[in-house]
Amino acid sequence: MKVASVIVDVPSKQTDREFDYLIPAHWLETIKPGMRVIVPFGPRNIQGFVTEIKAESEFKKLREINEPMDLEPVLNEELLDLGNWLTENTLCFKIYAFQAMLPAALKAKYEKKVMLSEGVHLNQLPVQLQEAFKHEEAINWDEALKNGLVPILQREAANGLLEVIYVVKEKLKKKQLKYVIPKLSSGELEAAHDSLPQKADKQKVVLKYFVEHSDPVELRQLLSQLNISASTVKALVQKGFLAEQDMEVYRDPYENRTFSRTEPLPLTEDQQRAMVPILDSIEKKLHEVFLLYGVTGSGKTEIYLQTIQDVIEKGREAIVLVPEIALTPQMVNRFKGRFGNLVAVLHSGLSAGEKYDEWRKIQRKEVRVVVGARSAIFAPFENLGIIIIDEEHETSYKQEEMPRYHARDVAIERAKKNNCPVVLGSATPALESFARAQKGVYTLLSLPNRMNKRALPAVEIIDMREELRAGNRSMFSRKLFELLKERIDRKEQSVLFLNKRGHSSFVMCRDCGYVMNCPNCDISLTYHKVKEQMKCHYCGYESYVPSQCPECSSDYIRYFGTGTQKVEDELGKILPEARVIRMDVDTTGQKGAHERLLKEFHEGKADILLGTQMIAKGLDFPNITLVGVLSADTMLHLPDFRSSEKTFQLLTQVSGRAGRHELPGEVIIQTYTPEHYSVELAGIQDYDRFYHREMLMRKAHHYPPFYYLALITISHENLMNVVSSTEKIAAFVRSRLSNHAVVLGPAASPIPRINNRYRYHCLIKYKREPELNKTLKAILDQYQADPKSGLLVSIDVNPFILM
Ligand code: ADP
Ligand code: ZN
Ligand code: ZN
């Protein structure tokens, strides 16, 4: 008799622990820790993860596991441990931690069904239902709903004749394709070929093919290659010469693409110096965190590639995290180009099926390198030799829903377990990381120069207030306009960058100042030109665009803000000859659109690439000689203590897009606050001065890296209720922490209402509070245990967004 500990797929306070189940004798050999199983839970059957197998349980009367869902564990031992670590450190339910480590395709879906209760006979049911249950023992709830059967079903369920069950549905099928294989030897096929009558010429062509090729070939490919129809193949199958067979194939997002192979480049002295300590750490199997600090174009990626080479040669594996990788096909090219089929790619642009297949390549040890976005940090490798996080300062490495983890922390935890180095790469490291490198917690490796000593582009900051004073009301300064024109004449390319965050197009009345807000959330609605609609980005509320002001009936109600569409319109007016490619959420929604637009720009099909932050990354084309930032300060005024840092990082990053090759580059930054240090220092690309300046601010205001943060957000439909609950929670936190901790709040969140729920928060700043996690857990325990109160409490340890 063996017992399995199982985490069940019910995210709630009461079920956030292991439940014991008996393993039926016939599954004893099969079921292993890390497997998904189906277990009875209350009246239902649900999915769970086996975390442990043990000889006995302290509980009596255990129920049995129904069946395993996997043939092999989907989580290895290290990942099972990591799940517990995630649970502890991000204060999430265990089930969320385990699910986060797997591709979405492996998350269970449940189908609601109705079946006869045990011992009930069909003829005990009303006639109307007998028909429905005649052929099936369980009928689908959704179908019953459609057929209007639900009320009767409910009545009979109340009578005990029927019961509702939940059936776990595997969401994803492996992809199967039809292949054709020869059933005879080449010689026999040749004889068969000769024996066929003359007029069976199509069949002869097929047999001739298999005389020459003995490997299975995909049916569709065979048909198109030989220009024959499926019936020809059928005929040969019937004669016993060939066979058709379903074979599993991977959905390969990079199918039909060739990657030209690249060889390691001879390293520069700087690169060599930076690489030695990393190789040393790999060689000695000693965990260490390196901060590889170097401007864009200083050769960081080449170092990644060559250290990975070393790791592969030692028989180990590598994870490379890249922000929003779908957006940088060039990055994928570099890894596939160097390591070919040894690379799996995981990012949000893939379909669930494609992701699942890439993940299985890792699980089956068919690849040694994974390049991916945040969640690729959970790649099920078992012998990691290095973890690399490129652009480590990127906010997308933090997950904003449960489990609220930062990929950097997970990377370090995994690397400790695997005794391997972590390399954090950036031109503008997160303040926290640079501070750690200064203190020696991380090892700082610098690449001070761009490759071939190419100069950084010249950056000019334009004061837009001056433009206005000079009578220029356009969103383009005179200088930017002039340079754009010049580029078109010279047949060079420009990139225009619009910092969209916190600055979307809204509708305002010019007479009375009325702004159209979402009725459910306290933020302005965003104007969408294509659909002529107003939309709330938080709750999805949609509304028509008014032609008159609802407040004062004025006709002067217009949309404001410089959305990409508006910039495109204006470009069309002032530079009608310019060919423009626009890249934003609207034009890149379709799969592959991003890559296609970039390709077109690369091929010179446009003069100007206009876009939001998504174009700031990875863009590396030789013909770009001008970068314009339309409004540098839209992000500077967000209620976020990191807004200066983010502005600096973004401006530095976009500036790096110009002049990466032979042609020299120019950068124009337009701003209303040229005197702000993040604008000014980004202009001269001086990270070190920015770092010192910003550290002073952080110290003065008790922010990271001097203090850690934890954010408790409380929401409820009733305002009074939120306020009083937040007060209680804040008081409780204060009572439990030392007087070195700062507890702010209750305060209304920067977005005080979302979807008709009022939001208040309490911000904790602390240095060392051993009791904090326990305290926060106690708060969650209390509020999660009482879902009827309607209060939602969420806790973010090390929050990135304070909204
Ligand atoms: P980063 O990742 O810091 O932006 P990259 O590794 O992309 O820098 O290097 C910038 C450019 O210089 C790339 O085109 C790359 O191929 C080239 N490069 C990198 N290292 C070398 C080297 N050792 N010799 C010649 N060219 C190099
Ligand atoms: Zn008005
Ligand atoms: Zn809304």
Side-chain angles (χ1 to χ4, degrees):
M1 200 54 90
K2 279 275 171 85
V3 175
S5 309
V6 176
I7 302 284
V8 294
D9 183 15
V10 183
S12 79
K13 165 79 188 69
Q14 286 79 2
T15 52
D16 190 27
R17 61 177 176 87
E18 269 124 345
F19 288 84
D20 285 351
Y21 285 91
L22 286 177
I23 305 178
H26 56 287
W27 292 123
L28 262 181
E29 296 290 304
T30 316
I31 291 180
K32 300 194 177 71
M35 263 187 195
R36 298 173 307 152
V37 288
I38 296 175
V39 292
F41 193 79
R44 327 186 259 162
N45 286 323
I46 60 174
Q47 181 186 296
F49 289 93
V50 177
T51 57
E52 197 192 342
I53 301 214
K54 48 194 184 181
E56 52 194 73
S57 167
E58 55 189 283
F59 299 98
K60 293 201 185 81
K61 287 181 78 185
L62 297 183
R63 297 172 81 176
E64 282 193 349
I65 289 180
N66 292 357
E67 56 179 313
M69 288 181 78
D70 300 303
L71 295 174
E72 288 163 78
V74 289
L75 294 170
N76 62 36
E77 209 174 305
E78 186 218 328
L79 291 176
L80 282 171
D81 281 347
L82 192 66
N84 292 327
W85 179 89
L86 270 176
T87 307
E88 285 300 311
N89 284 275
T90 69
L91 301 171
C92 70
F93 294 132
K94 283 183 201 283
I95 187 70
Y96 282 144
F98 288 130
Q99 280 170 344
M101 296 193 279
L102 294 175
L106 294 184
K107 259 173 225 161
K109 274 264 197 181
Y110 297 95
E111 233 172 341
K112 194 174 179 182
K113 292 194 164 187
V114 187
M115 65 181 291
L116 294 186
S117 299
E118 212 165 293
V120 172
H121 279 282
L122 198 57
N123 53 19
Q124 288 173 263
L125 289 180
V127 186
Q128 195 182 359
L129 286 184
Q130 285 184 18
E131 193 56 33
F133 282 94
K134 204 148 84 190
H135 305 292
E136 287 170 286
E137 50 183 72
I139 64 169
N140 199 308
W141 182 268
D142 288 335
E143 259 158 51
L145 205 61
K146 254 185 268 159
N147 301 335
L149 290 177
V150 168
I152 322 174
L153 290 177
Q154 272 172 334
R155 195 182 67 214
E156 297 311 323
N159 291 338
L161 295 181
L162 297 174
E163 62 183 322
V164 174
I165 55 166
Y166 289 83
V167 182
V168 182
K169 189 162 87 171
E170 276 273 20
K171 243 201 279 189
L172 208 85
K173 297 272 184 302
K174 289 165 188 160
K175 183 171 170 184
Q176 306 260 354
L177 285 181
K178 239 185 209 12
Y179 276 72
V180 184
I181 47 177
K183 289 201 64 175
L184 305 175
S185 72
S186 174
E188 291 166 323
L189 286 175
E190 198 156 4
H193 173 273
D194 296 340
S195 72
L196 285 179
Q198 202 60 43
K199 62 180 197 317
D201 53 338
K202 291 279 187 192
Q203 293 186 23
K204 278 175 175 265
V205 171
V206 180
L207 286 184
K208 186 130 186 299
Y209 173 91
F210 282 104
V211 168
E212 283 153 19
H213 308 86
S214 59
D215 288 336
V217 56
E218 199 210 319
L219 176 64
R220 281 180 318 194
Q221 196 189 326
L222 186 74
L223 299 185
S224 75
Q225 192 179 331
L226 304 182
N227 194 19
I228 51 167
S229 71
S231 59
T232 310
V233 175
K234 273 263 145 51
L236 291 167
V237 170
Q238 271 158 13
K239 289 181 181 144
F241 300 154
L242 304 177
E244 282 185 350
Q245 195 178 346
D246 285 335
M247 296 204 340
E248 188 200 335
V249 293
Y250 289 135
R251 280 152 284 221
D252 184 353
Y254 298 96
E255 188 173 68
N256 307 325
R257 284 260 306 270
T258 51
F259 297 93
S260 36
R261 281 307 272 241
T262 63
E263 293 297 323
L265 301 166
L267 295 183
T268 63
E269 245 172 67
D270 281 344
Q271 283 175 315
Q272 208 118 39
R273 198 172 335 107
M275 196 162 90
V276 168
I278 306 175
L279 293 183
D280 201 45
S281 161
I282 296 170
E283 175 69 35
K284 296 194 178 125
K285 295 199 168 189
L286 280 177
H287 166 66
E288 189 169 352
V289 183
F290 297 97
L291 177 61
L292 182 58
Y293 163 51
V295 294
T296 17
S298 60
K300 296 188 294 296
T301 309
E302 188 60 33
I303 293 185
Y304 303 156
L305 292 168
Q306 297 200 17
T307 46
I308 292 172
Q309 178 94 43
D310 185 63
V311 162
I312 293 178
E313 280 162 11
K314 292 192 161 57
R316 302 176 77 184
E317 297 135 352
I319 296 177
V320 184
L321 296 189
V322 178
E324 297 157 336
I325 192 176
L327 315 177
T328 64
Q330 291 169 340
M331 195 71 170
V332 176
N333 292 350
R334 290 185 72 177
F335 283 86
K336 288 242 178 191
R338 192 68 58 87
F339 305 117
N341 287 337
L342 289 180
V343 180
V345 179
L346 282 173
H347 62 78
S348 58
L350 303 181
S351 70
E354 287 170 341
K355 264 191 231 165
Y356 174 54
D357 287 354
E358 291 292 300
W359 181 86
R360 275 187 327 125
K361 285 187 204 164
I362 305 168
Q363 202 200 19
R364 291 181 172 184
K365 313 229 166 2
E366 293 169 2
V367 294
R368 305 288 283 283
V369 183
V370 56
V371 181
R374 180 179 62 224
S375 63
I377 195 60
F378 299 115
F381 282 135
E382 294 189 330
N383 190 10
L384 280 170
I386 195 167
I387 302 178
I388 293 166
I389 304 187
D390 192 35
E391 310 279 2
E392 67 91 32
H393 59 275
E394 272 294 320
T395 46
S396 63
Y397 288 128
K398 173 75 196 287
Q399 171 148 305
E400 294 300 342
E401 58 194 54
M402 283 219 251
R404 295 189 172 83
Y405 68 92
H406 196 296
R408 192 197 293 128
D409 302 331
V410 179
I412 293 173
E413 179 65 17
R414 286 199 78 180
K416 276 185 195 157
K417 289 271 166 64
N418 283 275
N419 297 313
C420 75
V422 173
V423 177
L424 308 172
S426 178
T428 53
L431 238 61
E432 287 94 326
S433 298
F434 205 73
R436 274 180 203 141
Q438 296 288 324
K439 280 174 75 179
V441 181
Y442 299 165
T443 307
L444 183 65
L445 306 170
S446 299
L447 290 178
N449 302 306
R450 269 189 152 184
M451 273 301 136
N452 306 335
K453 306 269 187 294
R454 235 171 264 129
L456 284 168
V459 180
E460 189 172 343
I461 295 172
I462 306 278
D463 186 345
M464 290 304 277
R465 295 169 306 190
E466 290 291 331
E467 293 294 312
L468 210 57
R469 271 176 228 139
N472 177 13
R473 288 171 183 284
S474 141
M475 60 182 87
F476 297 93
S477 60
R478 291 158 297 176
K479 179 76 191 236
L480 181 56
F481 174 69
E482 192 184 300
L483 292 184
L484 278 171
K485 230 170 133 61
E486 205 179 278
R487 291 308 183 286
I488 293 173
D489 294 341
R490 294 213 304 246
K491 304 213 173 342
E492 292 172 9
Q493 293 179 302
S494 309
V495 173
L496 285 181
F497 177 77
L498 184 72
N499 190 351
K500 184 91 160 136
R501 211 193 301 233
H503 197 138
S504 44
S505 345
F506 55 99
V507 164
M508 188 171 97
C509 170
R510 295 187 125 182
D511 274 334
C512 75
Y514 168 85
V515 172
M516 244 181 120
N517 273 341
C518 173
N520 311 318
C521 315
D522 281 337
I523 58 161
S524 57
L525 294 173
T526 301
Y527 174 68
H528 284 251
K529 188 181 177 189
V530 185
K531 288 199 201 146
E532 272 296 319
Q533 243 179 5
M534 309 291 299
K535 198 166 176 175
C536 172
H537 279 199
Y538 285 91
C539 74
Y541 172 87
E542 289 177 6
S543 160
Y544 66 97
V545 183
S547 55
Q548 272 194 339
C549 173
E551 284 286 307
C552 73
S553 306
S554 159
D555 294 331
Y556 288 94
I557 183 155
R558 297 283 145 79
Y559 67 87
F560 272 76
T562 39
T564 37
Q565 284 163 353
K566 201 174 167 199
V567 180
E568 193 181 16
D569 292 349
E570 185 153 337
L571 270 175
K573 281 183 212 135
I574 62 167
L575 278 172
E577 70 273 31
R579 296 164 304 159
V580 180
I581 288 181
R582 194 182 101 216
M583 274 177 79
D584 56 21
V585 280
D586 289 336
T587 63
T588 56
Q590 264 176 7
K591 209 180 149 214
H594 190 102
E595 199 167 352
R596 198 192 67 240
L597 292 175
L598 278 184
K599 188 159 166 278
E600 284 174 14
F601 189 63
H602 187 41
E603 288 166 353
K605 293 191 175 138
D607 308 298
I608 299 175
L609 179 65
L610 162 67
T612 51
Q613 39 262 70
M614 66 165 68
I615 61 172
K617 275 157 226 143
L619 199 60
D620 182 11
F621 301 144
N623 207 26
I624 301 174
T625 59
L626 174 66
V627 168
V629 179
L630 290 169
S631 52
D633 26 24
T634 42
M635 195 147 115
L636 217 43
H637 308 299
L638 288 180
D640 179 352
F641 73 94
R642 283 196 180 86
S643 62
S644 300
E645 184 182 357
K646 285 181 190 155
T647 303
F648 179 84
Q649 284 163 347
L650 209 62
L651 292 180
T652 310
Q653 197 170 35
V654 267
S655 304
R657 297 301 123 203
R660 292 185 41 109
H661 297 263
E662 270 65 50
L663 299 167
E666 258 181 295
V667 177
I668 297 289
I669 296 178
Q670 302 188 155
T671 173
Y672 289 90
T673 43
E675 63 284 354
H676 193 285
Y677 63 94
S678 27
V679 177
E680 192 196 323
L681 294 174
I684 53 172
Q685 314 236 323
D686 193 339
Y687 177 81
D688 295 310
R689 260 175 76 197
F690 173 78
Y691 170 77
H692 290 293
R693 189 69 205 268
E694 181 68 11
M695 285 292 271
L696 290 178
M697 302 288 289
R698 300 286 180 90
K699 189 168 191 182
H701 297 104
H702 303 289
Y703 276 119
F706 296 96
Y707 280 75
Y708 294 107
L709 299 181
L711 181 72
I712 311 177
T713 305
I714 296 107
S715 73
H716 193 272
E717 288 173 5
N718 181 301
L719 180 61
M720 294 309 293
N721 206 329
V722 189
V723 178
S724 69
S725 303
T726 314
E727 253 161 22
K728 261 186 243 155
I729 287 173
F732 176 68
V733 173
R734 282 193 187 97
S735 74
R736 298 287 290 266
L737 300 188
S738 77
N739 50 12
H740 298 291
V742 183
V743 181
L744 300 177
S749 296
I751 302 163
R753 193 170 52 127
I754 291 182
N755 222 348
N756 284 324
R757 298 181 67 88
Y758 292 91
R759 306 170 76 239
Y760 264 65
H761 67 210
C762 165
L763 183 64
I764 307 160
K765 301 177 178 182
Y766 66 99
K767 275 181 186 282
R768 206 167 289 114
E769 294 294 336
E771 288 298 302
L772 181 68
N773 257 30
K774 244 194 251 163
T775 307
L776 297 176
K777 233 178 141 42
I779 295 170
L780 283 179
D781 284 354
Q782 179 175 350
Y783 287 92
Q784 283 168 346
D786 180 20
K788 279 194 237 52
S789 73
L791 274 172
L792 281 182
V793 177
S794 77
I795 295 185
D796 195 346
V797 187
N798 300 322
F800 250 72
I801 297 176
L802 295 186
M803 315 235 250

